[in-house]
Amino acid sequence: MGQSGKVVFKPYHQNQISLLPPSIEEMIQEKHPVRIVNSVIDQINIKPLEKQYKGGGTSSYPPRMLLKVLVYSYLRNIYSSRKMEEMTKENIHMMWLSGMSRPDHHTINRFRSERLKEVLREIFSQVVMMLVETGQLNMKEVYIDGTKLEANANKYTFVWGKAIKKNKARIKEQIKELWEYTQKIAEEEKLDKTEIEFEEIDSEKVKETIKKINEVLKEKQVSKKIKQKLSYAKKHWPKNLDKYKEQEAILGKRNSYSKTDKDATFMRMKEDHMKNGQLKAGYNVQLSSNNQYVVNYSIHQKPGDTTTLPSHMEEHKAMYGKNPEVVVADAGYGSEENYTYLENNGVEAYIKYNSFDKEQKK
């Protein structure tokens, strides 16, 4: 039998001191995506972002560095500020990108939610124009489509416009019945009658009406049910009407919103693998693209795509100073209003209308 070969292990000296300290730069691969992020953001004009900072107090982390950290994290599908903080301490690519700075999660979160919020679109448009200058895309033709994104909101705490209208109508009907009952008693006892219109009601009108009802019914023999109803009305109806007024102001022209994210509207999301299309709080995000690059975005509270086109196009014009020459979209955007808008703005439209396919089959 032959003698087995001797096993040789590679040297491992964990605590060995280097004569020359290692450079992190040498550890980053030449074509790694982190270098692209670094190069692109180094070319961006961040003066609008720097204006978001106020003087005085302690020094701040450079906004360009924080922007690099944020963009690279998003590229890696990392959105938690705590995980971003962790990466600046443990990830070699992030340590190189941040220059060994270690901003905590509060700093990162405050940067993106407060300082970056107002100038994000301006920075985004700069990146798009860099792609245009390098020939990666052009702004002549854009392809528009929308997608619904679920909001980070409680789907069980909601407000519905129809429910508000129904509740207000019920209060109006009940206060009207109580007033008619009171007027009947006033007529029988030849008391002074006062006419009140109930076309529109609010908390002050309800308070005034209940007060007058109580004055007429004072010391009169009325049923226990009427007394209980008046007591409930006095306690709850004015307060409820004030609440409905606030909710209607938040709703605007929408049909619903989430109590934990008042900007989110309940929309029917795409079906899951079980073919269940559920109503969830979300946003309708519209995207314009060219050569598979996103060139414009807009966020809407309306679930339908049809009504979003004009405002989406206005965002494009505000960012780049002019409209694209051609717009391509699916039949969800086909409407007379949209065709007219695009024609008036000198944009050629390739958008089918809803009944186009049926007409072709006929």
Side-chain angles (χ1 to χ4, degrees):
M1 294 179 65
Q3 189 176 1
S4 61
K6 184 180 178 182
V7 178
V8 180
F9 295 104
K10 293 183 182 297
Y12 174 60
H13 306 292
Q14 187 178 7
N15 298 315
Q16 179 174 314
I17 300 174
S18 299
L19 181 62
L20 296 173
S23 169
I24 297 181
E25 169 74 26
E26 297 173 355
M27 300 180 185
I28 309 299
Q29 300 94 315
E30 187 178 347
K31 294 186 178 180
H32 195 279
V34 73
R35 290 191 180 274
I36 299 174
V37 171
N38 186 64
S39 175
V40 169
I41 295 179
D42 274 343
Q43 298 177 60
I44 290 175
N45 176 14
I46 63 165
K47 285 185 179 179
L49 184 55
E50 290 174 346
K51 289 179 181 178
Q52 302 298 314
Y53 289 79
K54 296 179 181 179
T58 186
S59 59
S60 301
Y61 283 104
R64 194 182 297 275
M65 180 272 290
L66 291 172
L67 185 59
K68 290 178 181 180
V69 168
L70 205 62
V71 172
Y72 183 64
S73 298
Y74 287 175
L75 190 68
R76 296 285 302 273
N77 291 324
I78 293 171
Y79 306 101
S80 164
S81 58
R82 291 181 183 275
K83 289 189 176 180
M84 291 180 198
E85 177 188 352
E86 189 177 294
M87 283 179 69
T88 61
K89 300 172 183 176
E90 300 177 357
N91 183 287
I92 189 71
H93 300 105
M94 186 66 89
M95 291 165 71
W96 172 77
L97 195 63
S98 67
M100 297 300 290
S101 296
R102 295 181 176 182
D104 62 24
H105 64 277
H106 291 297
T107 301
I108 295 169
N109 205 36
R110 190 164 57 250
F111 172 76
R112 67 176 170 185
S113 62
E114 296 177 11
R115 297 195 168 102
L116 185 60
K117 181 181 178 182
E118 299 301 324
V119 296
L120 179 60
R121 187 173 289 279
E122 191 172 346
I123 290 173
F124 171 82
S125 64
Q126 286 188 53
V127 176
V128 172
M129 293 312 297
M130 286 172 58
L131 293 170
V132 172
E133 290 168 6
T134 56
Q136 300 296 317
L137 57 88
N138 71 75
M139 302 297 285
K140 293 181 180 179
E141 305 95 19
V142 298
Y143 302 81
I144 300 177
D145 201 0
T147 186
K148 294 181 178 67
L149 297 182
E150 186 177 347
N152 185 17
N154 190 328
K155 61 183 178 181
Y156 300 110
T157 56
F158 44 76
V159 174
W160 293 96
K162 289 182 179 178
I164 293 174
K165 289 179 181 178
K166 186 178 178 181
N167 291 336
K168 286 178 69 176
R170 186 171 65 247
I171 290 175
K172 184 168 75 172
E173 188 62 32
Q174 290 181 349
I175 194 74
K176 190 176 179 181
E177 288 176 0
L178 282 170
W179 182 250
E180 288 174 353
Y181 172 79
T182 306
Q183 291 294 79
K184 186 179 178 181
I185 291 178
E187 185 178 0
E188 289 175 355
E189 300 194 11
K190 297 181 180 180
L191 297 174
D192 190 27
K193 291 175 64 179
T194 305
E195 293 294 333
I196 296 180
E197 293 294 332
F198 291 98
E199 291 301 318
E200 295 292 333
I201 61 168
D202 55 31
S203 59
E204 291 303 318
K205 192 168 190 177
V206 167
K207 286 178 184 177
E208 180 188 349
T209 305
I210 292 173
K211 182 180 178 181
K212 289 181 178 179
I213 289 173
N214 282 323
E215 288 174 357
V216 173
L217 298 182
K218 189 178 181 181
E219 298 180 359
K220 301 290 185 298
Q221 292 294 326
V222 295
S223 66
K224 186 178 179 181
K225 184 178 179 180
I226 294 293
K227 288 182 179 180
Q228 288 176 340
K229 197 166 189 177
L230 273 170
S231 176
Y232 180 88
K234 185 178 180 180
K235 185 177 180 180
H236 295 284
W237 288 356
K239 181 174 62 178
N240 287 349
L241 286 170
D242 284 336
K243 180 181 72 175
Y244 297 150
K245 186 177 179 180
E246 290 177 8
Q247 291 174 341
E248 285 177 327
I250 295 170
L251 276 169
K253 296 180 179 180
R254 294 182 290 162
N255 295 321
S256 63
Y257 72 82
S258 169
K259 290 181 180 179
T260 54
D261 183 353
K262 294 176 182 179
D263 292 328
T265 307
F266 277 81
M267 307 177 182
R268 191 161 295 281
M269 299 295 174
K270 288 184 178 179
E271 293 180 342
D272 58 20
H273 63 284
M274 296 295 289
K275 302 296 181 183
N276 294 321
Q278 298 181 354
L279 276 173
K280 294 180 180 178
Y283 297 90
N284 186 358
V285 180
Q286 297 293 308
L287 300 172
S288 294
S289 66
N290 180 278
N291 198 23
Q292 299 186 38
Y293 289 99
V294 174
V295 299
N296 183 26
Y297 65 91
S298 58
I299 301 172
H300 304 264
Q301 296 175 314
K302 298 175 182 178
D305 290 335
T306 310
T307 57
T308 64
L309 185 63
S311 59
H312 181 72
M313 292 296 295
E314 290 298 320
E315 291 282 7
H316 184 104
K317 189 175 181 180
M319 280 200 296
Y320 306 113
K322 61 180 181 179
N323 286 316
E325 295 177 12
V326 177
V327 164
V328 182
D330 60 30
Y333 299 85
S335 71
E336 185 177 348
E337 290 82 1
N338 288 344
Y339 296 140
T340 303
Y341 173 84
L342 293 171
E343 184 178 355
N344 291 341
N345 284 273
V347 180
E348 189 174 359
Y350 289 89
I351 304 174
K352 292 191 292 187
Y353 48 89
N354 291 332
S355 59
F356 179 85
D357 290 327
K358 290 182 179 179
E359 291 176 7
Q360 298 308 304
K361 291 178 181 177
K362 288 179 182 178

